[in-house]
Amino acid sequence: MLTWVGILLILLVCIAGGALWLTLPPRMQEAEIEGLSAPVEIGFDQDGIPRIRAASALDAATALGFVHARDRMFQMELMRRNASGRLSELAGPATLPLDRMARTLGLRRRAVADLAVQPADTRAMLDAYARGVNAWIEERGRFAAPEFLLLGAPDPWTAVDSLLWGKTMGLWLSENWHTEMIRHALAGRVDQSLIDTLWPTRTETIPPATAALPVRFAALGVPDDLARWLPRFPAPFTLPSTASNEWVVDGRHTATGAPLLAGDPHLALNFPGIWYLARIELPDQVLAGATAPGVPFLVLGRNRRIAWTFTNTGADVQDVFVETPAGPGSYQTPDGPQPFKVYEERIKVRGEPDEVLTVRETRHGPVISDLRDPEGPILAVAMANLQPDDTAAAGLLALNRAGSVEEAGRAAALITAPVQNLAVADHERIGLFLTGRVPVRKAGDGSAPVPGDGSHDWIGWLSGDGLPHVVAPESGRIVNANEPVRIPGNDAFLGRDAFAPWRARRIRTLLDASDRHTASDFARMQADVTSSFAQQILPALLAVPAEEAVEARAQRLLQDWDATMRIDQPQPLIFNTWVGQFYRLVLAAKGIRPDEGGPQPDFVAYVLTDGRDLWCGGDCTRLLQAARAEAVRRLRDRYGDDPAAWRWGTVHQAIFAHPILRHLPIVGPLTTAAIAAPGDDTTIDRGETNAALQDVHGPAYRGVYDLADLDSSLFVMAAGQSGNPLSGHARDFLTRWRDGATVTLGPTPKSTEASLRLIP
């Protein structure tokens, strides 16, 4: 009996193993795809990076769709489900908050409408890409990826699904609505002067403030905990709103006499990563760099004539409006009562009955307060990325085709969302343009909820040439790391809140060191882990008296520290733990939770300089001592009594985890990758932490583009090309990514380990 049971178990294991093995793509493959004009040849190099050779751009889009599906089909499935509000069909009630928000915002409904306004060539690219994805699905069925063995074959891909990627990025890279709701939650229980200094401000001329408004709304009973009902980073399927470094110099500052450009977008660290490297060769064009599974365009990279990259501008393109009820089913407008637009959404929930969600919209946008209390006060959100006629896809296509800095600028104007800083270089010149649309407000600065009576309505847009831009600056260089863009002669108001220039300050210091920069120099800069924030506030920390023995030893380690965040040092761990505790204590003393505060480094630097009187009563010593004591206590409990033996890399692990499977036993570890990582939130090589000081946000892709020889440009991404955890290319970039190593995407790889031929 036991023998037969054992044999049966072995057979089941073999069957399961065989099924999983069949989800891996073959090394040699030929596939027929309807609509191709000619055969497409694809070779995968030693890192699993495809080099696509196609006769036309449409054929290349089909091929890209096929290889994206080959390596990342389940990631693409989760992306479209997340944006469509259909995650709970797979994950059950745990993802209902995400589904409710996606349905309330109507991301898919708006993508369907946007498809109709895409130019014919953009629509053709989207359709060609979908044909490639669907060819993989039709050929592989439930073997398209390991996850589909249990879920069944994925539904066919559509052009609308590709537009959902842009909708998702537009939402998460513009997070002002959360900040508005937090300000409202603080109003009435925290002094307004404290609220005003929680977030740094831009230096542009700010329109009349709306500081008194939240108090008035508090009296109306507007829920002050709505912000906690809205999904927010680092929750799965969310992104941080501040991200990325970019710098570009012209030939006066390089060894070759041609421009150099560097860019590394900072996004959530997931498994698999958001980016997918590829090289695409056409008879009259070459594209190389970072693609995004689900999208038929190159998002970051270079063509034959230009190179480009993005950072987030941080523009305020979201406003919360408090509407006035006007009887059942209506609300008040300047033209009298108007009915809500009403949509009924049915959300399927795995293991539970369907949930029916009633979505209301006003003239400003979706009613987000219904997520908390449909019977309470009415809060509607206006978002630029939810506005009609979104042509971001057409803008990316135009950018892929651009042959000069000026043409890239015209493409930027077509990318309607999100608002990004586009740095670009051609063989002679450099430039910076802002993408997206920024609302012009009738009144107010957009920092807090405002009345929906028309007094604070959006009355127009800043876009294209109306936004800051520069071509061939006199300095010969452009730097941005999410700090405000300031161009002489353009005082466009982009929002009240801003981020401090910690990374930009360090980038400029390194650029100042030479006028003979090379691509390798820029790659080393991207891996730099010196913190200008630590350099600034260390004197304040070192001035705090220390009497307890272990605290004194820990503090002495900081005295000769060079402010580098290396994994083999104790100082970054001591510093970041101390600063984190100080941040919490300062806020707690005023009745503010950590999740209600502004950016930690920016706020701490302010408190230790201009904010001492307001936040510390003139002297922060007591709070700094208490924070140090708590930090050292926690570190001693975990790592022992010798501060010199503590190590940043022990704690600061870059975590690449699957957004759903990470929580499952056995499967979770197979879909999670971790590696000790240098840097912190203020270094060029960014490693923003969660509450446990794990690295969850950083440069998932780095590119350095040499306009003297674009084929020698340098790239790296994390964690690997494949989303299949059984693949050898699921994690093979991790160590190189951590250590600042790079690869090239020239026409000839070192070796070809797989080949694919697509035929009409």
Side-chain angles (χ1 to χ4, degrees):
M1 180 68 178
L2 290 176
T3 301
W4 286 108
V5 170
I7 292 173
L8 180 59
L9 288 174
I10 292 172
L11 285 173
L12 290 174
V13 169
C14 290
I15 291 171
L20 289 169
W21 180 80
L22 287 173
T23 65
L24 292 169
R27 291 185 177 273
M28 304 287 289
Q29 186 179 8
E30 183 173 278
E32 293 185 10
I33 302 181
E34 184 178 350
L36 288 176
S37 68
V40 180
E41 304 292 340
I42 306 170
F44 294 85
D45 69 13
Q46 65 281 354
D47 295 311
I49 301 171
R51 284 164 171 78
I52 299 171
R53 294 176 175 85
S56 71
L58 291 179
D59 288 353
T62 298
L64 187 62
F66 193 89
V67 299
H68 277 169
R70 171 187 184 270
D71 288 331
R72 300 285 189 90
M73 189 64 237
F74 191 62
Q75 179 186 31
M76 295 163 62
E77 176 73 7
L78 289 181
M79 182 277 290
R80 67 172 168 178
R81 283 183 176 272
N82 178 37
S84 302
R86 294 182 55 206
L87 284 172
S88 298
E89 294 179 24
L90 302 181
T95 54
L96 269 173
L98 287 162
D99 284 349
R100 292 179 186 128
M101 187 177 74
R103 299 293 185 100
T104 296
L105 298 180
L107 298 183
R108 187 171 191 90
R109 174 165 29 90
R110 298 174 203 280
V112 170
D114 289 338
L115 183 63
V117 303
Q118 301 305 315
D121 56 351
T122 305
R123 177 63 186 267
M125 289 286 285
L126 294 167
D127 289 339
Y129 180 85
R131 287 196 296 272
V133 176
N134 290 329
W136 176 260
I137 294 173
E138 291 166 8
E139 179 172 309
R140 306 288 290 189
R142 66 170 60 241
F143 295 97
E147 296 87 349
F148 295 114
L149 292 174
L150 296 177
L151 300 174
D155 293 335
W157 193 263
T158 69
V160 169
D161 294 331
S162 290
L163 294 181
L164 290 173
W165 186 85
K167 291 295 181 189
T168 301
M169 298 299 286
L171 171 65
W172 293 115
L173 294 179
S174 308
E175 281 286 82
N176 173 261
W177 64 322
H178 279 108
T179 306
E180 289 189 36
M181 296 312 303
I182 290 171
R183 284 195 173 102
H184 164 71
L186 294 173
R189 65 181 174 90
V190 176
D191 187 85
Q192 190 64 43
S193 62
L194 298 177
I195 297 174
D196 289 342
T197 57
L198 275 172
W199 292 268
T201 59
R202 298 174 186 265
T203 59
E204 301 100 318
T205 301
I206 297 180
T210 55
L213 291 170
V215 177
R216 175 154 37 107
F217 292 149
L220 292 176
V222 175
D224 62 6
D225 63 347
L226 179 58
R228 281 185 280 171
W229 284 70
L230 302 174
R232 193 178 188 189
F233 184 78
F237 299 103
T238 65
L239 295 172
S241 60
T242 170
S244 314
N245 303 316
E246 64 185 14
W247 62 93
V248 57
V249 299
D250 66 20
R252 290 174 288 172
H253 302 289
T254 70
T256 64
L260 279 173
L261 182 147
D264 49 292
H266 304 167
L267 295 169
L269 303 182
N270 289 321
F271 179 86
I274 190 173
W275 305 113
Y276 182 89
L277 298 179
R279 178 185 171 98
I280 300 169
E281 297 182 9
L282 306 174
D284 59 349
Q285 185 61 283
V286 174
L287 296 164
T291 66
V295 179
F297 314 113
L298 188 70
V299 181
L300 303 145
R302 63 90 168 184
N303 61 26
R304 275 186 173 169
R305 296 177 179 84
I306 70 166
W308 67 90
T309 190
F310 295 100
T311 62
N312 196 21
T313 309
D316 181 355
V317 293
Q318 299 170 334
D319 278 346
V320 176
F321 291 88
V322 182
E323 309 285 13
T324 301
S330 299
Y331 67 101
Q332 193 65 47
T333 78
D335 299 321
Q338 294 290 332
F340 293 99
K341 291 182 180 178
V342 179
Y343 304 90
E344 185 176 281
E345 300 281 349
R346 181 174 295 275
I347 303 175
K348 296 183 180 298
V349 185
R350 188 180 186 90
E352 294 192 1
D354 295 355
E355 178 175 301
V356 177
L357 182 70
T358 299
V359 175
R360 297 186 294 173
E361 286 191 7
T362 73
R363 65 193 183 92
H364 294 115
V367 177
I368 56 171
S369 53
D370 285 354
L371 292 168
R372 170 67 173 82
D373 180 12
E375 303 301 322
I378 304 165
L379 274 67
V381 64
M383 296 186 177
N385 72 301
L386 300 185
Q387 303 305 308
D389 302 328
D390 185 346
T391 57
L396 272 180
L397 177 58
L399 184 58
N400 283 198
R401 294 171 171 173
S404 66
V405 166
E406 289 79 8
E407 289 181 14
R410 290 193 286 273
L414 294 174
I415 301 175
T416 42
V419 181
Q420 299 279 286
N421 307 312
L422 169 64
V424 62
D426 59 28
H427 291 287
E428 296 180 353
R429 298 201 292 173
I430 64 175
L432 178 76
F433 305 91
L434 267 63
T435 68
R437 300 178 287 192
V438 178
V440 177
R441 298 168 174 86
K442 185 181 292 186
D445 62 5
S447 63
V450 293
D453 59 6
S455 60
H456 292 74
D457 279 2
W458 294 359
I459 56 175
W461 297 102
L462 292 174
S463 62
D465 289 341
L467 293 171
H469 59 281
V470 64
V471 174
E474 290 184 10
S475 66
R477 71 185 197 187
I478 296 168
V479 175
N480 186 265
N482 306 126
E483 76 281 9
V485 175
R486 298 186 177 94
I487 304 296
N490 188 304
D491 59 355
F493 179 69
L494 303 182
R496 176 195 182 278
D497 302 330
F499 295 98
W502 306 116
R503 287 172 283 121
R505 185 181 299 173
R506 178 62 179 167
I507 292 167
R508 291 188 173 94
T509 296
L510 295 176
L511 288 177
D512 287 342
S514 173
D515 271 336
R516 301 282 294 171
H517 289 290
T518 66
S520 296
D521 293 336
F522 275 21
R524 282 191 293 272
M525 286 175 61
Q526 288 179 325
D528 185 85
V529 292
T530 298
S531 169
S532 62
F533 166 68
Q535 289 173 332
Q536 177 173 316
I537 74 163
L538 267 174
L541 302 187
L542 293 174
V544 178
E547 296 180 1
E548 197 277 330
V550 179
E551 289 183 39
R553 291 204 302 273
Q555 185 161 320
R556 281 196 297 272
L557 288 170
L558 299 179
Q559 288 179 350
D560 298 320
W561 179 44
D562 60 0
T564 57
M565 304 291 173
R566 295 198 295 267
I567 60 177
D568 59 350
Q569 294 179 314
Q571 290 92 339
L573 181 56
I574 297 166
F575 174 82
N576 277 283
T577 308
W578 187 355
V579 169
Q581 290 301 318
F582 178 68
Y583 176 77
R584 292 176 179 85
L585 289 178
V586 171
L587 293 178
K590 304 297 184 181
I592 302 171
R593 299 192 313 270
D595 63 347
E596 295 175 319
Q600 177 176 297
D602 305 2
F603 176 72
V604 168
Y606 167 75
V607 170
L608 292 178
T609 52
D610 298 336
R612 286 178 179 268
D613 290 342
L614 186 62
W615 289 92
C616 298
D619 186 357
C620 294
T621 300
R622 181 183 60 81
L623 286 171
L624 283 168
Q625 286 177 318
R628 182 187 58 206
E630 179 61 17
V632 170
R633 183 193 67 78
R634 292 179 177 225
L635 294 174
R636 290 177 71 178
D637 288 347
R638 292 188 64 182
Y639 307 113
D641 291 338
D642 182 7
W646 301 342
R647 293 292 180 266
W648 182 229
T650 303
V651 181
H652 195 248
Q653 300 267 323
I655 306 296
F656 298 82
H658 195 285
I660 287 182
L661 301 182
R662 68 173 78 185
H663 302 295
L664 299 181
I666 301 176
V667 177
L670 295 176
T671 57
T672 300
I675 189 170
D680 74 356
D681 191 30
T682 61
T683 56
I684 298 175
D685 184 7
R686 191 173 190 175
E688 184 181 0
T689 59
N690 58 15
L693 292 182
Q694 294 172 319
D695 182 358
V696 294
H697 169 209
Y701 165 82
R702 301 187 188 104
V704 176
Y705 311 96
D706 185 349
L707 275 297
D709 178 12
L710 282 166
D711 279 337
S712 66
S713 298
L714 305 174
F715 307 88
V716 75
M717 52 87 73
Q721 286 284 96
S722 177
N724 189 324
L726 303 178
S727 170
H729 295 308
R731 303 170 179 82
D732 56 343
F733 271 124
L734 261 187
T735 301
R736 285 177 285 178
W737 168 82
R738 189 269 309 276
D739 295 343
T742 58
V743 299
T744 58
L745 295 180
T748 305
K750 292 181 180 178
S751 63
T752 299
E753 71 165 30
S755 61
L756 171 61
R757 191 167 194 261
L758 306 179
I759 58 176

